[in-house]
């Protein structure tokens, strides 16, 4: 059975997933070997839903004053929970890809710790657009944010499992090398069941998140030949945005 490991390895996978995707204070030391990294992929969507749920909780707490304040603190809480890790990846990716240099130079720019003009612009636009989207959402905000952030993590689990990598080093390579296809499949099936039980129409934002993932894949292959950790982060950020945009449209139909 999936959970009958005898050594709580699936629990270790959950902890690895939380430690990788968030800055939540889980201090247990886990060996980042291939088996545990592979199992952690299964929990990526769940961790995304937790991040979005935390944002939704802050929305309701501070939304008591008004929806703008609620939206601000919802977004701020999710940035804090993730440690702005994926925003950093987005900025590095934009600096590199929009430089229009050759592959090696793009990778060098992305590795540079200094942020460029395109990186700053991408972060500002990302945060501003998310704030506008969240402030215009209606209904069950924790659920919507949970699914939007779960969608993007499911897409990145799929990409880590199936798409090429640009270089054989870094955290992204470690996850790709762990060959997590089996646990990604389990994660996809479990997540689809959850979404279908909640409301089948919520599959539409998920579909568009996967579509954006494929578009980013095509661009990434052309620019640098494969994914890096920074591009994974950028894909998560853009997946969150497209999910929120589509949720905003879907909610008007219900």
């Amino acid at each position: 059975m999936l959970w009958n490991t005898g050594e709580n390895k699936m629990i270790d996978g959950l902890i690895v997933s939380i430690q990788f995707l968030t800055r939540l204070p889980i201090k247990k030391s886990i060996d980042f070997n291939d088996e545990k990294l592979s199992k952690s992929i299964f929990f990526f969507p769940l961790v995304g839903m937790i991040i979005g749920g935390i944002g939704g909780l802050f929305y309701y707490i501070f939304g008591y004053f008004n929806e703008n304040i609620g939206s601000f603190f919802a977004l701020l809480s999710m940035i804090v929970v993730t440690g702005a890790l994926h925003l950093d990846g987005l900025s590095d990716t934009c600096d590199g890809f929009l430089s229009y240099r050759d592959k090696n130079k793009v990778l060098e720019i992305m590795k540079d710790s200094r942020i460029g003009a395109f990186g700053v612009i991408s972060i500002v636009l990302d945060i501003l657009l998310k704030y506008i989207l969240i402030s215009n959402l209606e209904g069950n905000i924790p659920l919507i944010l949970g699914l939007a952030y779960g969608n993007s993590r499911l897409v990145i689990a799929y990409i880590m499992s199936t798409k090429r990598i640009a270089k054989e080093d870094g955290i992204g390579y470690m996850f790709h090398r762990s060959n997590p296809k089996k646990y990604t499949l389990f994660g996809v099936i479990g997540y689809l069941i959850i979404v279908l039980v909640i409301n089948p129409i919520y599959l539409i934002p998920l579909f568009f998140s996967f579509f954006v993932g494929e578009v980013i894949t095509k661009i990434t292959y052309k620019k640098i030949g494969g994914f890096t950790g920074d591009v994974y982060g950028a894909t998560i950020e853009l997946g969150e945005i497209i999910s929120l945009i589509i949720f905003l449209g879907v909610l008007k139909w219900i």
Side-chain angles (χ1 to χ4, degrees), residues 93 97 164 166 215-228 231 235:
T93 300
F97 282 17
R164 296 198 305 264
V215 171
I216 294 173
T217 298
K218 185 175 181 179
I219 295 171
T220 300
Y221 281 1
K222 183 178 180 180
K223 290 287 186 180
I224 56 175
F227 280 81
T228 67
V231 186
T235 305

Side-chain angles (χ1 to χ4, degrees), residues 192-206 250 254:
L192 287 175
I193 291 172
I194 291 172
V195 175
L196 284 169
V197 168
I198 295 171
N199 192 333
I201 200 171
Y202 291 157
L203 289 173
I204 298 175
L206 178 59
V250 166
I254 300 177

Side-chain angles (χ1 to χ4, degrees), residues 1 3 7 19 31-32 37 41 44 62 65 95 105 110 128 155 185 193 201 206 209 229 240:
M1 293 177 62
W3 294 91
E7 296 177 329
Q19 290 177 337
D31 179 22
F32 276 51
L37 288 172
I41 293 285
F44 272 29
F62 290 95
F65 300 101
D95 277 338
K105 186 61 177 179
M110 293 169 65
L128 179 61
V155 171
L185 178 60
I193 291 172
I201 200 171
L206 178 59
S209 294
E240 292 166 357

Side-chain angles (χ1 to χ4, degrees), residues 5-245:
T5 64
E7 296 177 329
N8 294 322
K9 290 182 180 178
M10 289 304 294
I11 299 300
D12 285 346
L14 172 60
I15 293 172
V16 169
S17 183
I18 293 172
Q19 290 177 337
F20 175 65
L21 293 172
T22 78
R23 292 297 178 263
L24 294 176
I26 297 180
K27 300 300 184 182
K28 183 178 179 182
S29 178
I30 302 292
D31 179 22
F32 276 51
N33 58 42
D34 284 351
E35 183 180 7
K36 290 174 183 175
L37 288 172
S38 178
K39 287 179 169 64
S40 73
I41 293 285
F42 174 81
F43 296 102
F44 272 29
L46 173 62
V47 175
M49 294 179 75
I50 291 172
I51 295 168
I54 290 172
L57 177 62
F58 273 79
Y59 178 91
Y60 277 135
I61 291 173
F62 290 95
Y64 172 80
F65 300 101
N66 64 57
E67 64 182 19
N68 291 323
I69 294 176
S71 300
F72 172 82
F73 280 101
L75 182 54
L76 178 62
S77 67
M78 293 185 290
I79 292 173
V80 171
V81 167
T82 59
L85 174 66
H86 312 310
L87 280 171
D88 181 66
L90 175 66
S91 68
D92 287 341
T93 300
C94 288
D95 277 338
F97 282 17
L98 296 176
S99 69
Y100 296 99
R101 306 290 185 87
D102 61 71
K103 172 185 175 179
N104 291 333
K105 186 61 177 179
V106 169
L107 289 172
E108 182 182 335
I109 291 171
M110 293 169 65
K111 191 175 181 180
D112 193 331
S113 60
R114 294 169 296 179
I115 187 170
F118 287 120
V120 172
I121 292 170
S122 68
I123 290 175
V124 171
L125 292 178
D126 180 285
I127 293 174
L128 179 61
L129 181 53
K130 281 184 181 176
Y131 171 78
I132 293 171
L133 291 169
I134 294 171
S135 64
N136 281 278
L137 290 173
E138 297 178 355
N140 190 332
I141 305 300
L143 175 63
I144 295 169
L145 291 179
L147 290 177
Y149 279 64
N151 288 351
S152 63
R153 272 71 181 176
L154 183 66
V155 171
I156 210 63
Y158 159 73
I159 288 175
M160 281 181 166
S161 303
T162 62
K163 306 302 184 183
R164 296 198 305 264
I165 54 173
K167 54 182 182 177
E168 295 187 353
D169 61 21
I171 295 294
Y173 169 66
M174 290 172 59
F175 276 95
H176 180 83
R177 184 189 63 191
S178 71
N179 191 26
K181 291 181 180 179
K182 177 174 68 173
Y183 293 100
T184 299
L185 178 60
F186 291 148
V188 169
I189 293 172
Y191 190 77
L192 287 175
I193 291 172
I194 291 172
V195 175
L196 284 169
V197 168
I198 295 171
N199 192 333
I201 200 171
Y202 291 157
L203 289 173
I204 298 175
L206 178 59
F207 167 80
F208 277 94
S209 294
F210 271 99
F211 176 76
V212 167
E214 292 297 331
V215 171
I216 294 173
T217 298
K218 185 175 181 179
I219 295 171
T220 300
Y221 281 1
K222 183 178 180 180
K223 290 287 186 180
I224 56 175
F227 280 81
T228 67
D230 285 329
V231 186
Y232 288 146
T235 305
I236 287 176
E237 288 294 328
L238 296 175
E240 292 166 357
I241 287 173
I242 194 64
S243 279
L244 289 172
I245 290 172

